[in-house]
Amino acid sequence: MANATGLNAPEVAASMGLILAAVVEAAALLGNGALLVVVLRTPGLRDALYLVHLCVVDLLAAGSIMPLGLLAAPPPGLGRVRLGPAPCRAARFLSAALLPACTLGVAALGLARYRLIVHPLRPGARPPPTLVLTAVWAAAGLLGALSLLGPPPAPPPAPARCSVLAGGLEPFRPLWALLAFALPALLLLGAYGGIFLVARRAALRPPRPARGSRPRSDSLDSRLSILPPLRPRPPWGKAALAPALAVGQFAACWLPYGCACLAPAAQAAAAEAAVTWVAYSAFAAHPFLYGLLQRPVRRTLGRLARRALPRPPRACTSRAWHPRALLQHLHRPPEGPVLGPSEAPEQARDLAGRESLSMPEAT
């Protein structure tokens, strides 16, 4: 019984990994698709082009390299499908190009937010987004082209290594780690560190007194109101939330992959499946981190959700005896035409003549 349990343990682990990987891929597809629709429907979003670029890169990765990871991961990985020479080179190129495009796109988005927050009145200091994204894709294309210089996949008895970590690219992997992880990490840390310092300085600054404000009275209530609370909260705590989440998510998802690029080939091949899917989880985390934390995106998402969901029928309630409705009914002007002072006596004479004519008929 113990031997059967020991034999089934790798299969159970592979099945659990397959389920988790499928959940990550579904979250990446649905989250980035929904965020792309919301960003395109949100007017006045300043970093909309960078968000659209990030969603497009995540969708390309979720539609290409993530399914390949599900089907053709090396043992003891997730899949058992073997790729030929051409599909293996294509998978290696896509992995080496899309991952740097994602990390550099995240760094470009952080720098754009830094310039919008720290230098909002200096539009000349901000380079155009098209130029920045062109540089991002040029670097990603260069890294993808270098991955094609690796050896072809091994013959069928040996596992086919179709990734950056275990594809025979030992001279290439340190350069990939430098350009695809270290450089975006430094740029992101500098951008969100500057945002945090500006927000902290603004939070610690005392508020300016309003014009025409009355001086504080010297009563007991006013003295008690200026006392500090029992557990004071730092005013910059909310300002540190977004930078901490952005930098923490980037480090948690991409630090293992960057360290594996610098490790020896045998250790990198052993940890390939784990660190690869930890890095792929960034594609599913981006819609929630860079989309739902923005108030305009949340408002547009709520408006679209209200339009899509069916509205419940409203119950018809009688408001005749409601006090406010009764007062409005009493103060409502008459529906007939208003008679002027010259028309009122003539109408009275007509009514009197009709009554006198109708009296003999009644008798």
Side-chain angles (χ1 to χ4, degrees), residues 69-121:
L70 285 173
L71 298 176
L78 304 177
R80 296 295 184 268
V81 178
R82 183 176 181 83
L83 298 179
C88 186
R89 288 183 178 275
R92 189 185 300 172
F93 172 80
L94 290 174
S95 176
L98 289 178
L99 297 185
C102 178
T103 55
L104 293 173
V106 169
L109 178 61
L111 290 175
R113 291 185 174 180
Y114 170 78
R115 288 188 293 267
L116 287 173
I117 293 175
V118 179
H119 304 291
L121 301 179

Side-chain angles (χ1 to χ4, degrees), residues 55-315:
C55 292
V56 169
V57 172
D58 291 349
L59 287 174
L60 288 176
S64 59
I65 58 177
M66 292 179 73
L68 289 176
L70 285 173
L71 298 176
L78 304 177
R80 296 295 184 268
V81 178
R82 183 176 181 83
L83 298 179
C88 186
R89 288 183 178 275
R92 189 185 300 172
F93 172 80
L94 290 174
S95 176
L98 289 178
L99 297 185
C102 178
T103 55
L104 293 173
V106 169
L109 178 61
L111 290 175
R113 291 185 174 180
Y114 170 78
R115 288 188 293 267
L116 287 173
I117 293 175
V118 179
H119 304 291
L121 301 179
R122 293 170 58 186
R126 298 193 293 268
T130 54
L131 180 62
V132 176
L133 297 180
T134 302
V136 167
W137 279 104
L142 175 63
L143 295 177
L146 290 177
S147 69
L148 297 178
L149 302 177
R161 302 295 184 179
C162 303
S163 65
V164 178
L165 295 179
L169 302 173
E170 283 77 10
F172 165 71
R173 286 192 288 116
L175 177 63
W176 193 95
L178 177 64
L179 294 180
F181 174 72
L183 179 61
L186 292 177
L187 293 177
L188 200 67
L189 186 61
Y192 282 102
I195 291 175
F196 169 70
L197 292 179
V198 170
R200 182 177 181 270
R201 194 180 302 117
L204 294 177
R205 186 180 302 167
R208 297 180 180 180
R211 294 183 179 180
S213 59
R214 298 180 181 180
R216 181 181 292 272
S217 63
D218 200 15
S219 61
L220 180 60
D221 295 337
S222 63
R223 292 180 183 179
L224 292 176
S225 63
I226 63 175
L227 292 178
L230 296 179
R231 294 182 179 179
R233 297 181 179 179
W236 41 268
K238 189 176 180 180
L241 179 61
L245 287 177
V247 177
Q249 181 267 333
F250 188 89
C253 293
W254 297 105
L255 181 60
Y257 202 95
C259 294
C261 288
L262 301 176
Q267 299 179 4
E272 179 184 359
V275 299
T276 298
W277 279 98
V278 169
Y280 287 171
S281 65
F283 303 140
H286 288 161
F288 303 98
L289 184 62
Y290 295 100
L292 294 181
L293 290 183
Q294 295 196 48
R295 189 174 300 174
V297 174
R298 291 198 303 268
R299 289 177 180 175
T300 306
L301 182 60
R303 185 172 66 250
L304 294 177
R306 287 192 299 269
R307 290 180 181 178
L309 295 176
R311 296 182 180 180
R314 297 181 180 180

Side-chain angles (χ1 to χ4, degrees), residues 19-78:
I19 293 173
L20 292 177
V23 170
V24 170
E25 182 172 2
L29 287 172
L30 296 177
N32 286 283
L35 180 60
L36 184 61
V37 173
V38 171
V39 169
L40 294 177
R41 298 291 296 271
T42 304
L45 198 61
R46 294 185 176 181
D47 52 358
L49 189 57
Y50 292 102
L51 277 177
V52 169
H53 170 263
L54 187 61
C55 292
V56 169
V57 172
D58 291 349
L59 287 174
L60 288 176
S64 59
I65 58 177
M66 292 179 73
L68 289 176
L70 285 173
L71 298 176
L78 304 177

